[in-house]
Amino acid sequence: MKRALITGVTGQDGSYLAELLLDKGYKVYGTVRRLSTPNIENIAHLQDKIELLSADLLDQGSLTDAIKASEPDEVYNLAAQSFVKTSWDQPVLTGEFTALGVTRVLEAIRTTNKKIKFYQASSSEMFGKVTETPQKETTRFHPRSPYGVAKAYGHYITLNYRESYDMFACSGILFNHESPRRGIEFVTRKITHAAARISLGKQDKLELGNLDAKRDWGFAGDYVEAMWLMLQQEKPDDYVIATGEMHSVQECVELAFAAVGIRDWRKYVVSDSPKHLRPAEVDYLIGDSTKAKETLGWTPKTSFKELISMMVESDVKREKDK
């Protein structure tokens, strides 16, 4: 039985990855930070199937202890300060978690067992002010947020450990990926949650920033399969994971409101709210995942419309059950 350790197991990606690995017969361990009331909503249905270990990306010793306790064949580093907007309010903390935290995990592996395969969750936010479209593995990084800068550090330190210590270390440059388990602070979930509440008479308005911002959005459940596939290859490498389609925030709004039977969404949406605008905006991100398709045999299965419908349906059910 293969063993895997997932940092950030309680998050969106961590929960879907845990399900995937369990289905493949893995013994799954996940790290959680010591909190008075840990948020385990995303893995509540898996609690009796996975083993949780206390560890923190800010604490080298706890990460080493978690690796020694779990003796994994594979480590997936999905933990981070993952909200772009917050990274401007807490840039130093974002760097500690999202950048240096990667080094701490890699050091824990290097000093414990260099044969452990490692996956790092890189991000399309590293491309930022894009220099070519679509973006692929060789596209130059120009991050436009402290989060993007921190992710670029995490990406390059993974490459550095791979080349310096002959470690099996991969980075998945994942473009935006969403699901019903997405945090409420992320724009897609904020939209689907508001559409559900407005349709049920629980909310009057939805405040958003730039409706013209465009992203390459996929389903998180599809993307975790790519993470696993990267660690099953003969050689470690980095891969862009994306749908190759670009959609605007406005398209997301239109689909979400249409899914609850509201045609005139403009009655409810306030856009360009200053508090939702970024100091430096990333306008267009669209990925070229040709390499992942050819080498990993990976392609996305869920369309953008299916994704938004799935999220709205889940949010309507949640609100009705309250």
Side-chain angles (χ1 to χ4, degrees):
M1 179 185 287
K2 275 191 173 182
R3 300 157 75 91
L5 175 67
I6 304 170
T7 71
V9 73
T10 60
Q12 168 188 260
D13 293 8
S15 62
Y16 281 110
L17 179 60
E19 288 176 351
L20 176 77
L21 296 178
L22 287 168
D23 285 345
K24 293 184 179 297
Y26 279 65
K27 168 69 175 172
V28 178
Y29 295 83
T31 66
V32 289
R33 298 174 65 200
R34 283 200 183 277
L35 300 171
S36 55
T37 53
N39 181 7
I40 58 170
E41 179 185 354
N42 285 335
I43 58 166
H45 62 299
L46 302 174
Q47 267 193 286
D48 60 340
K49 298 177 182 177
I50 65 177
E51 188 168 331
L52 299 179
L53 302 171
S54 177
D56 195 312
L57 289 184
L58 302 185
D59 179 23
Q60 180 74 58
S62 69
L63 294 168
T64 301
D65 289 344
I67 287 172
K68 287 179 178 177
S70 57
E71 297 183 324
D73 299 287
E74 300 167 0
V75 171
Y76 296 84
N77 183 41
L78 309 185
Q81 190 298 98
S82 59
F83 190 37
V84 176
K85 185 175 184 298
T86 298
S87 75
W88 275 288
D89 300 327
Q90 298 180 313
V92 176
L93 186 63
T94 298
E96 286 286 350
F97 273 117
T98 308
L100 291 177
V102 185
T103 312
R104 294 186 186 104
V105 178
L106 285 163
E107 266 297 282
I109 292 171
R110 185 185 71 83
T111 57
T112 305
N113 177 6
K114 284 203 305 180
K115 292 183 179 179
I116 294 169
K117 293 184 175 183
F118 175 75
Y119 171 84
Q120 165 60 15
S122 288
S123 168
S124 60
E125 287 289 330
M126 301 186 303
F127 295 122
K129 189 175 182 180
V130 300
T131 56
E132 66 175 335
T133 300
Q135 296 85 51
K136 50 185 181 288
E137 292 80 6
T138 54
T139 302
R140 184 171 67 87
F141 296 152
H142 187 148
R144 299 265 282 173
S145 67
Y147 170 80
V149 172
K151 278 292 185 183
Y153 174 96
H155 182 84
Y156 280 125
I157 200 66
T158 301
L159 174 62
N160 185 257
Y161 270 66
R162 180 166 81 216
E163 294 180 346
S164 301
Y165 301 113
D166 194 28
M167 291 170 60
F168 196 109
C170 299
S171 288
I173 307 173
L174 270 59
F175 280 64
N176 293 62
H177 48 289
E178 318 297 320
S179 77
R181 300 177 194 172
R182 191 52 139 161
I184 201 74
E185 67 272 21
F186 290 86
V187 67
T188 48
R189 179 74 199 291
K190 182 179 181 180
I191 291 167
T192 62
H193 180 249
R197 287 177 56 80
I198 289 169
S199 72
L200 296 170
K202 293 186 173 186
Q203 186 172 325
D204 298 321
K205 295 289 180 184
L206 167 61
E207 285 190 12
L208 294 171
N210 180 14
L211 292 183
D212 295 324
K214 292 181 172 66
R215 293 291 184 274
D216 184 327
W217 275 300
F219 173 46
D222 292 343
Y223 284 32
V224 297
E225 182 187 13
M227 300 177 188
W228 175 76
L229 285 168
M230 287 178 213
L231 298 196
Q232 312 314 308
Q233 305 306 304
E234 287 186 12
K235 294 180 179 179
D237 207 346
D238 307 324
Y239 300 87
V240 162
I241 303 301
T243 68
E245 295 181 6
M246 194 161 55
H247 300 275
S248 67
V249 173
Q250 181 170 318
E251 284 180 75
C252 181
V253 172
E254 291 169 353
L255 285 171
F257 277 78
V260 293
I262 297 175
R263 295 296 172 190
D264 191 1
W265 57 269
R266 294 180 190 276
K267 287 182 181 179
Y268 307 97
V269 177
V270 179
S271 63
D272 292 327
S273 174
K275 67 181 180 181
H276 297 299
L277 297 176
R278 299 176 174 186
E281 186 58 78
V282 175
D283 294 314
Y284 306 107
L285 290 176
I286 180 169
D288 178 356
S289 56
T290 300
K291 182 178 173 182
K293 182 178 181 180
E294 292 177 351
T295 306
L296 306 178
W298 179 86
T299 53
K301 300 179 179 70
T302 309
S303 72
F304 182 63
K305 185 175 182 179
E306 289 169 339
L307 170 64
I308 300 305
S309 295
M310 176 199 314
M311 293 173 68
V312 170
E313 185 179 330
S314 172
D315 277 324
V316 168
K317 184 178 184 303
R318 264 198 197 97
E319 289 301 314
K320 284 182 176 178
D321 289 346
K322 282 185 179 178

